[in-house]
Amino acid sequence: MRGIVVVGNGMAGSRLVSEVRARDKKARVTVFGAEERAPYNRVLLSNVLAGTTRADQVRLHGPSWYDDHNVTVHLGTEVVAIDRETRCVITADGGRTPFSVLVLATGSEPIVPAVPGAERAIAFRTMDDCERILAAANAARRAVVIGGGLLGVEAARGLAGRGLPVTLLHLKGHLMDRQLDHEAGQVLGDTLEGLGVEIMTGVTVTGITDGKVELTTGHVEADLVVAACGVRPVTALALDAGLHVERGIVVDDEMRTDDPAIFAIGECAQHDGQVYGLVAPCWEQAAIVADLITGADARARYRGSRLVTRLKAKSVELAAMGETHLTDADAEIVRFTHRRGGTYRKLVIRDGRLVGAILVGDPATVGTLTQLYDRGGPLPADRSGLLFPGLAGAAPVSPSPVRMPDAAQVCRCNNVTKGQIRACWEAGARDVAAVAAATRATTGCGSCAETVGGIVEWLCEQEGASA
């Protein structure tokens, strides 16, 4: 009997399955996951590495979820081919599973430097990788992380948090160069160095030997090497099946490939020339496809996502959104830097609208600036109120629940507003765990947990005051 088949059980695939089941209790659903584990929140692996979160705390589904929701799951089972003529997927053991609808959520794979000794490095991508790194860290004297993007910064901070001396190597001139400008990258580097991470930028790795990472300019000693050099979409399955593949699997606004029975979502999908590597777009795409394949909303369409990159680790917080690399010649730039205090704030404004922002350090204005960026609303004439909400006469930019409108987005990953949190609180969800269960707020990158807690606390106080 044919039904919905999902290939990939990571953050995109597992969310799709739960979205489908929320809309249709009877649809036949089968999911294949190459990993032997139940799905988990990959975004929070850096917290597991740092020791602030246990592995069991990042699970997306409990062990009994699939049986409870009548979903057939094949863990540790690789799909190796798609037979489009007979509408079947073929697994490594030769098994064939028919489908009426196929959703590819194959995700991405880590890029490892193509240098001699690369096999000595441990990629930082999966829970298995995380466990290998932790096991090696127990006996290591010094670690090197290759790659100063978001994942590399998180890995370096996590290892340093365990007391291990860490050197972070980055090819470009400053950390997180895709999201941050040079000055912001320097402030981030200063912050990490203050936490025990040695930063080396503008360096090229030429090889990895026993106890050393070789550079064009010398070497760095290390008995643990972590590769965090980026990822590439996993597209071989689609390519072998004759689907249109560029950088990712090309899809339209329905997330449909050039075969109308096959969809693609998450990090393997390319929509309008863009491949998204953040959780919020993946989950938005999953909801769109669930609407379409269950018939819940035949008009559902994906129009792309406005990206906000968040890093929230102990003593390291930043957010970057939109067009962060524009100069004064291209847009109005409002900026404040305090390197010693680890603070950098930059607004990029065009035609009176916020088109980009970088915030390193104090995150007080992140929520409001994200809303302004998402909605494209007009900005106050006095820009200082956007960077310094506490200034006398400044425009009211406050995360306080009292001033926050119900339409304000609190959890970006799951598109949860203050009004939705209020509604589920009024329905009986009286703590953060209950709100998370009802709305999924806090279950993505986790950066909204403090705000959600503040709203719940404020609602409880309001109830007590009116009693």
Side-chain angles (χ1 to χ4, degrees):
M1 187 167 124
R2 298 181 184 273
I4 300 166
V5 171
V6 182
V7 178
N9 198 29
M11 295 189 71
S14 63
R15 173 56 70 95
L16 173 72
V17 171
S18 61
E19 293 279 6
V20 167
R21 192 48 87 225
R23 292 160 174 75
D24 188 331
K25 306 299 183 188
K26 297 181 179 179
R28 181 179 177 85
V29 180
T30 302
V31 58
F32 292 89
E35 292 187 66
E36 295 183 357
R37 312 175 176 268
Y40 53 88
N41 188 334
R42 201 182 305 276
V43 177
L44 300 179
L45 283 182
S46 58
N47 292 349
V48 177
L49 194 63
T52 59
T53 302
R54 299 191 313 273
D56 64 294
Q57 292 176 310
V58 303
R59 281 192 312 221
L60 295 172
H61 293 325
S64 65
W65 189 91
Y66 295 99
D67 288 339
D68 293 344
H69 292 82
N70 193 28
V71 172
T72 301
V73 61
H74 299 279
L75 300 178
T77 303
E78 182 183 4
V79 172
V80 296
I82 303 168
D83 186 336
R84 291 171 58 189
E85 186 175 346
T86 63
R87 290 284 188 257
C88 289
V89 297
I90 304 168
T91 53
D93 61 3
R96 300 174 69 91
T97 301
F99 64 84
S100 55
V101 171
L102 174 63
V103 182
L104 300 177
T106 49
S108 58
E109 60 186 1
I111 297 171
V112 178
V115 298
E119 69 281 357
R120 296 175 182 271
I122 305 175
F124 182 36
R125 179 64 182 162
T126 67
M127 183 65 79
D128 286 345
D129 294 334
C130 190
E131 291 181 349
R132 288 179 61 203
I133 293 169
L134 288 173
N138 288 332
R141 297 182 305 276
R142 185 168 190 85
V144 163
V145 176
I146 305 173
L150 178 63
L151 199 59
V153 169
E154 290 181 331
R157 175 66 190 102
L159 289 171
R162 290 181 171 270
L164 189 64
V166 181
T167 300
L168 178 58
L169 307 178
H170 191 48
L171 177 65
K172 301 295 185 178
H174 66 272
L175 299 178
M176 292 185 62
D177 53 282
R178 290 187 179 182
Q179 297 89 5
L180 306 182
D181 60 20
H182 182 73
E183 198 166 359
Q186 287 184 317
V187 174
L188 174 60
D190 291 345
T191 300
L192 289 171
E193 287 182 336
L195 298 171
V197 179
E198 180 186 6
I199 308 295
M200 296 180 65
T201 56
V203 296
T204 301
V205 174
T206 58
I208 303 171
T209 61
D210 187 18
K212 293 181 182 179
V213 176
E214 302 290 346
L215 310 174
T216 53
T217 55
H219 71 269
V220 181
E221 294 185 0
D223 41 17
L224 167 60
V225 181
V226 176
C229 306
V231 296
R232 64 170 67 91
V234 175
T235 60
L237 191 64
L239 191 63
D240 291 345
L243 298 175
H244 184 194
V245 173
E246 293 176 0
R247 192 158 67 95
I249 305 168
V250 177
V251 296
D252 59 17
D253 288 353
E254 293 185 339
M255 303 305 297
R256 203 184 298 262
T257 68
D258 48 337
D259 184 324
I262 303 177
F263 298 77
I265 61 172
E267 293 179 315
C268 69
Q270 177 180 318
H271 174 267
D272 196 22
Q274 178 76 40
V275 176
Y276 295 95
L278 298 175
V279 63
C282 295
W283 285 353
E284 186 179 349
Q285 292 168 6
I288 296 292
V289 172
D291 279 338
L292 292 170
I293 64 180
T294 63
D297 183 359
R299 297 173 299 174
R301 298 293 184 273
Y302 181 67
R303 304 300 186 188
S305 297
R306 295 171 70 82
L307 296 182
V308 177
T309 300
R310 294 292 302 269
L311 170 60
K312 189 169 185 179
K314 186 177 180 182
S315 305
V316 185
E317 294 192 66
L318 68 82
M321 60 197 81
E323 301 176 73
T324 57
H325 292 288
L326 295 183
T327 66
D328 291 285
D330 304 312
E332 175 189 350
I333 307 295
V334 183
R335 153 188 313 112
F336 170 80
T337 309
H338 184 203
R339 286 188 65 172
R340 181 171 293 182
T343 300
Y344 179 79
R345 303 174 187 177
K346 176 182 179 181
L347 307 180
V348 183
I349 301 166
R350 185 193 291 130
D351 299 326
R353 302 296 196 270
L354 186 69
V355 298
I358 299 173
L359 298 166
V360 182
D362 182 8
T365 61
V366 170
T368 299
L369 292 178
T370 300
Q371 293 166 38
L372 290 171
Y373 169 67
D374 276 338
R375 299 175 185 176
L379 303 180
D382 181 5
R383 311 298 200 212
S384 63
L386 297 171
L387 292 184
F388 304 100
L391 287 180
V397 183
S398 172
S400 166
V402 179
R403 297 182 180 179
M404 186 185 295
D406 274 356
Q409 188 183 62
V410 176
C411 176
R412 183 177 180 83
C413 295
N414 291 287
N415 193 26
V416 180
T417 65
K418 175 196 169 186
Q420 290 171 300
I421 294 172
R422 182 202 292 271
C424 77
W425 182 87
E426 290 173 346
R430 297 306 173 96
D431 57 30
V432 173
V435 169
T439 66
R440 291 179 171 151
T442 76
T443 64
C445 70
S447 62
C448 66
E450 186 175 339
T451 303
V452 173
I455 292 172
V456 171
E457 183 179 352
W458 170 71
L459 289 168
C460 291
E461 289 173 353
Q462 293 295 109
E463 181 183 50
S466 61

